[in-house]
Amino acid sequence: MDLDLDYYFPFSDVSKTLQRINMYPFFDISHYILMCLLVKEDTPQLGTPTFSRHHSFASWLASMLMCFAGTIIGNGLTGEPLIVPFQNHRDILVATIVWYVLNYAPFDLVYKLAKFAPVHLAVCLLKEIQRTQKVFDGVAAGVRLYPQAYLLNVLIGLVKANGSPVMLLFARLVTGQFRPPIVGAFSVTTKACLVVAIVFLMEHTGHLPAQYHNHVYLGAAAFFVLLRLAVKLLGPMDPFYPFEWLAGALLFGGLADAISGLFRQGGAASRPPSAAPVVATDGSAGAAANGAPKKAATDKKRE
């Protein structure tokens, strides 16, 4: 007997609305704003308009690469031409307008407005709703092209929704400041996209019933939105760390290392202390040290 989730969670209409809503223009513009801000704040002259004034084409090209990073990298995985995103003149025009007003508006008013906390939060939330659709579309495209390649399906959904960390390397190469990002591990957004992509793959493979699709999609969107809210309001956090720590302890040698460390500490505590080194006294080392001068003086007297 299947569980009727609509009876307990009557939000199917909300999910259907989210899936039918057109991402253009508001959701796409929110994505372009965040990517152009990332390029603007990543340039060598942080906080000044010097770079965009003197290197306009490099700034524009880096921003376009970031705006269409997911599609470019996703096309590379699916075997499609990498320049396909640049065929859509409407998207290029909108992204260019966003780049222009963020970099060249009088007194930097648009940039300051985009960085204003309530406005920036609203832009981020719109971006998270768009991210949900990108993960779903990426996984669906991967399943359609590679039905049995589950790893590729998840990877395509991941890069479609979060390709900017990879493309940032090439954007920095364009702006003449090539350096790897100083990141010790996957970001929280990357981990979230990975989890949601796996859930959508389970839905496509039949491991999750198809009648729960609306609830799964709404849950994924709510997960992205709540995670972004938590990071913005509470500061940097990683809700996946406890699960990673548990997996590392149980599956990847963490528990064995801890046990061996306890045994080493116990062995060191039970080992008897070593004998103290013998310190030379005046009667031994001192006499030996002074013996040669005394003998030399005696021989001199005899002469």
Side-chain angles (χ1 to χ4, degrees):
M1 181 179 179
D2 294 333
L3 180 64
D4 186 10
L5 290 181
D6 287 329
Y7 179 78
Y8 299 98
F9 304 100
F11 302 113
S12 295
D13 294 337
V14 178
S15 178
K16 292 176 182 177
T17 302
L18 285 179
Q19 296 175 62
R20 289 196 303 262
I21 194 171
N22 190 3
M23 294 291 110
Y24 177 83
F26 300 108
F27 295 91
D28 289 342
I29 289 177
S30 67
H31 171 66
Y32 299 153
I33 290 174
L34 293 177
M35 294 300 101
C36 292
L37 285 176
L38 180 59
V39 173
K40 180 179 176 65
E41 295 174 352
D42 193 60
T43 50
Q45 296 85 3
L46 178 60
T48 66
T50 305
F51 184 84
S52 59
R53 294 286 194 276
H54 296 167
H55 309 280
S56 300
F57 180 73
S59 174
W60 174 83
L61 182 57
S63 299
M64 294 304 104
L65 289 176
M66 293 297 293
C67 288
F68 304 102
T71 306
I72 294 173
I73 301 175
N75 286 354
L77 294 177
T78 57
E80 300 178 16
L82 301 182
I83 61 174
V84 167
F86 297 99
Q87 292 180 347
N88 193 325
H89 303 294
R90 183 193 67 181
D91 292 344
I92 295 294
L93 179 61
V94 173
T96 300
I97 292 174
V98 171
W99 163 79
Y100 184 84
V101 297
L102 280 174
N103 286 277
Y104 303 105
F107 308 106
D108 241 1
L109 289 178
V110 178
Y111 172 75
K112 294 176 181 177
L113 178 63
K115 294 296 291 183
F116 184 52
V119 176
H120 191 72
L121 180 60
V123 170
C124 290
L125 296 184
L126 291 177
K127 165 62 183 175
E128 297 308 318
I129 295 176
Q130 185 204 47
R131 193 191 305 276
T132 308
Q133 188 184 71
K134 286 187 174 182
V135 175
F136 180 79
D137 292 343
V139 172
V143 171
R144 185 172 60 254
L145 294 173
Y146 311 104
Q148 302 300 323
Y150 297 148
L151 180 60
L152 282 180
N153 303 156
V154 173
L155 187 59
I156 293 172
L158 173 63
V159 300
K160 285 276 190 181
N162 192 42
S164 56
V166 178
M167 189 58 70
L168 183 59
L169 295 172
F170 300 96
R172 287 176 174 174
L173 181 63
V174 169
T175 57
Q177 51 158 348
F178 179 75
R179 66 184 189 276
I182 305 176
V183 179
F186 282 160
S187 65
V188 177
T189 303
T190 303
K191 297 174 185 178
C193 291
L194 180 62
V195 171
V196 173
I198 293 174
V199 172
F200 283 147
L201 177 62
M202 294 175 62
E203 185 181 14
H204 279 91
T205 56
H207 292 86
L208 289 177
Q211 62 266 28
Y212 298 154
H213 167 69
N214 292 330
H215 299 86
V216 170
Y217 190 93
L218 182 61
F223 173 64
F224 280 130
V225 169
L226 292 177
L227 183 61
R228 176 66 70 170
L229 278 174
V231 171
K232 286 294 182 183
L233 299 179
L234 303 179
M237 57 181 299
D238 188 355
F240 303 98
Y241 177 76
F243 303 100
E244 294 180 12
W245 180 87
L246 183 61
L250 297 179
L251 303 176
F252 302 111
L255 185 61
D257 292 341
I259 294 175
S260 62
L262 290 176
F263 275 112
R264 285 196 298 268
Q265 292 178 1
S270 61
R271 187 180 304 133
S274 58
V278 178
V279 180
T281 61
D282 293 340
S284 57
N290 298 327
K294 289 181 179 180
K295 183 178 180 181
T298 305
D299 295 339
K300 187 174 182 181
K301 288 180 180 180
R302 289 177 182 178
E303 292 177 356

